[in-house]
Amino acid sequence: MSVDPWKVYSGNALAALSQISYNNCSFPLARTLKVTFVSTRDNEENVTASQDIEANISAFVRRIRQLAPRLNMVKMSGGPDPMERVDVTYHYFGSLTTQLVQITSRIDISYGFGRAFHFLNADAIRNLTYLASTFELGGEQTVQLIRQNAPTLQYLHVAYRCVNISGIIQDADGSYVEYPRLETLEVYRGYDTRTPQRYIFDGAVPFPSLRRLVCVNEYPFGDDLVLFRGNAATLEFLQLTMTRELAITLPHSNTFTATSHPKLQCVILKLHPSMMPVNYTDDPEIIRFMMDIAPDAAVRKISEWCVNQLPPPLLSLFSKHTSLQVLDLPGMSLSIWDAMTLIQSLPLLSDIHAAVPTLDPMPDGVTARNVVTYVTSNYSPMGTRFRCWHFGCDFSRRMKDKVKPFLLLALACPNFDYAAAVDYEREKFAKLLEKTIDTAAYKKHAPRLRRLLFGGWRNNLPVSK
């Protein structure tokens, strides 16, 4: 729904909603109201001092409630033009957005909401269960809104970059804030070159019921692990971007042990850009901890590790996580032989995101003439869950060098049916794939290999059990 605030202030928006064609119209099943504020400065002229703007705003919001009586979510984006009349914009726009938010207990305030967030009447907004907001937009207003809804919030998403968010943990009087019902906390920090602040929250247990914790780009509270405190018994999902500082701090805290998090089902580990191979591949303790952060049964996805080659220590550590389902290592290059070793070790692995595997170095005694026989004799069948390899473009490799590794992988893994090339290479890749299948070395296995041409499992073609 696109809304021009000036039309609301003047009453024209209400008039439009009240036209005869809308009189008997309602949306009884609508659950979400998505509002994009788009100001047209030409409409300023229609707003005069004699108008009862507050009454027009209230009537407009009441009409929205009548049209969609079961709304349980309001999403707002956009905002006033900074050049608009300040007296009207910041007072009345705050009133409009506050009343819209009061329709429901769930709000999502998107980036682009702008300075008008400062004028949201946070004190009038209570009993929220869901709040998603970009922190820079409102500063202290955001802090107040989050804190006063702490008793009822069940979901909190905070995105920020250059501001201090310690206020969601501790108020101005030094008292700690508790979120007894919060089950999902997502904290997204924009990349910031400044040194992270230090925090001390001795004894604070703000999130005792947390089930899902996501920290993207950087852990927000330095070496104080307050987000992990008091929820070991409830935490089920964890996504962390590992910085070097966090990889050093967590091992000494004994936060994660083999039995500390009995309900933890899924861990997604991502690597911060600062953790380049030169910083961590020579530090076996950091590598080991990053792989041991959760019990083996919990690690289902390892994602965005910034490595071009897979060092032997990481290969062996990946292999130990037998619950791993997705290995997402864009840009990483590994040999087809290392890939098959991984797939053999990981019975639940279904997807790999990485560069096209290489054939070199070949095992002793294996040549281009006998490689098909070698694979079918020594590796097939294996990896019955493995189905898909996603790869990007690589201009340093000839297309024909990209095809053979996937044909060999298909011979080893009975359900591998999808080599996902980038769009502009897909047609060329498929043609060369078909041409190579018809050569003497692969023709014997043509019925099986041709399934790669269609992405068999993604197109409902039969797969091996």
Side-chain angles (χ1 to χ4, degrees), residues 200-219:
I200 300 176
F201 300 118
D202 286 338
V205 183
F207 308 111
S209 303
L210 209 59
R211 297 172 60 186
R212 178 184 175 92
L213 175 59
V214 176
C215 291
V216 174
N217 292 342
E218 198 165 296
Y219 180 76

Side-chain angles (χ1 to χ4, degrees), residues 22-67:
Y22 290 94
N23 280 343
N24 298 317
C25 179
S26 66
F27 305 92
L29 300 181
R31 295 291 184 268
T32 300
L33 173 65
K34 185 174 182 180
V35 180
T36 302
F37 294 106
V38 181
S39 291
T40 305
R41 296 191 62 201
D42 292 343
N43 291 315
E44 286 186 50
E45 300 172 358
N46 298 322
V47 178
T48 64
S50 62
Q51 290 177 310
D52 191 343
I53 297 177
E54 286 288 359
N56 288 339
I57 291 173
S58 297
F60 175 78
V61 174
R62 281 197 303 272
R63 184 59 179 147
I64 294 292
R65 287 178 169 176
Q66 292 169 357
L67 290 172

Side-chain angles (χ1 to χ4, degrees), residues 389-443:
W389 188 302
H390 302 260
F391 62 95
C393 62
D394 183 356
F395 296 111
S396 67
R397 304 267 301 274
R398 295 176 301 177
M399 184 62 77
K400 70 176 184 179
D401 294 331
K402 300 179 182 182
V403 168
K404 291 181 181 179
F406 292 120
L407 292 175
L408 295 174
L409 199 57
L411 292 176
C413 303
N415 292 326
F416 171 59
D417 289 322
Y418 196 65
V422 293
D423 288 346
Y424 60 85
E425 284 194 340
R426 193 165 296 159
E427 184 176 355
K428 185 176 180 182
F429 180 80
K431 287 180 179 179
L432 192 55
L433 196 66
E434 189 165 21
K435 183 177 179 180
T436 308
I437 290 171
D438 287 333
T439 61
Y442 296 94
K443 198 165 188 177

Side-chain angles (χ1 to χ4, degrees), residues 11 16 22 37 48 74 88 97 102 116 137 147 168 185 200 223 232 259 277 281 296 323 346 366 382 404 436 454:
Y22 290 94
F37 294 106
T48 64
V74 173
V88 175
T97 52
Q102 289 173 325
L137 300 181
R147 279 202 306 248
I168 70 173
L185 175 62
I200 300 176
D223 53 5
T259 58
T281 52
D296 171 66
S323 62
L346 303 171
V366 179
M382 69 169 201
K404 291 181 181 179
T436 308
F454 307 104

